[in-house]
Amino acid sequence: MKLKTDFLFTLLLFCVFAISAFSLVVIGAGVYENSVTSMEQNFEGRTALAYVAEKVRQNDAGASISATDNILRITTEDQDGSYILYIYEYEGFLTELFTRAELPFDAQAGRQLLEVENFTVSESDRGMLEISTAEEGQEPISLFLHLRTGEKTK
């Protein structure tokens, strides 16, 4: 009788240990999955903002930069004529289109860069650009850029 009781106690203790270990692994996997998803979303949003900021900084001194209707327009001129770089969100992607100034804007013709959600770009009267993106249910990530050009933006 004592042998049966010892065996059952040992078996019960082993089962409690096994269930605890399995529960710990399941909880850890859920936490890890949430962390990875959050990091990926954060990475995509910050990468999109960094890309737009770098384009603005590259062209800030010699170009006209404006933002209307969530479209960033960077107009440059050289000996061949005027060109416009459009940066905007189209069908869930940060998209850019580089074209001659006299050609009409066609959102479908742009090149998809990164997946983004709720990409917005706006301009204040004092030469500040606000660029932001936000995943569904997340806080928006914003970036403010002060344009260095002496000209007032269009």
Side-chain angles (χ1 to χ4, degrees):
M1 181 79 148
K2 181 163 178 11
L3 186 61
K4 264 186 167 178
T5 307
D6 288 345
F7 177 74
L8 285 175
F9 177 74
T10 305
L11 183 63
L12 181 65
L13 187 62
F14 176 75
C15 289
V16 167
F17 176 74
I19 289 171
S20 298
F22 181 74
S23 299
L24 185 63
V25 168
V26 168
I27 291 170
V31 168
Y32 178 75
E33 181 181 4
N34 289 341
S35 296
V36 168
T37 301
S38 176
M39 285 174 37
E40 284 176 355
Q41 290 174 345
N42 198 11
F43 173 77
E44 289 172 355
R46 290 189 188 279
T47 302
L49 294 180
Y51 178 81
V52 174
E54 187 60 30
K55 286 294 185 179
V56 169
R57 289 180 185 128
Q58 285 175 351
N59 296 291
D60 194 14
S64 172
I65 299 173
S66 64
T68 54
D69 301 327
N70 285 332
I71 300 173
L72 181 65
R73 290 173 181 80
I74 302 173
T75 305
T76 56
E77 293 188 27
D78 65 9
Q79 65 272 15
D80 295 332
S82 294
Y83 295 91
I84 300 177
L85 174 64
Y86 298 97
I87 300 176
Y88 54 97
E89 179 184 358
Y90 183 71
E91 294 182 348
F93 286 90
L94 182 66
T95 308
E96 75 173 3
L97 174 64
F98 185 73
T99 185
R100 294 185 67 84
E102 60 268 7
L103 295 177
F105 174 70
D106 180 11
Q108 295 176 344
R111 182 173 54 115
Q112 294 177 342
L113 302 172
L114 294 164
E115 279 190 66
V116 293
E117 291 182 28
N118 303 318
F119 176 80
T120 60
V121 60
S122 61
E123 182 179 11
S124 73
D125 293 336
R126 296 183 302 201
M128 293 285 289
L129 286 178
E130 179 182 1
I131 307 159
S132 65
T133 183
E135 299 290 326
E136 288 296 322
Q138 301 284 329
E139 287 289 318
I141 303 169
S142 296
L143 175 67
F144 292 90
L145 294 173
H146 184 270
L147 298 176
R148 291 180 296 161
T149 57
E151 308 166 9
K152 182 171 170 37
T153 57
K154 296 179 184 176

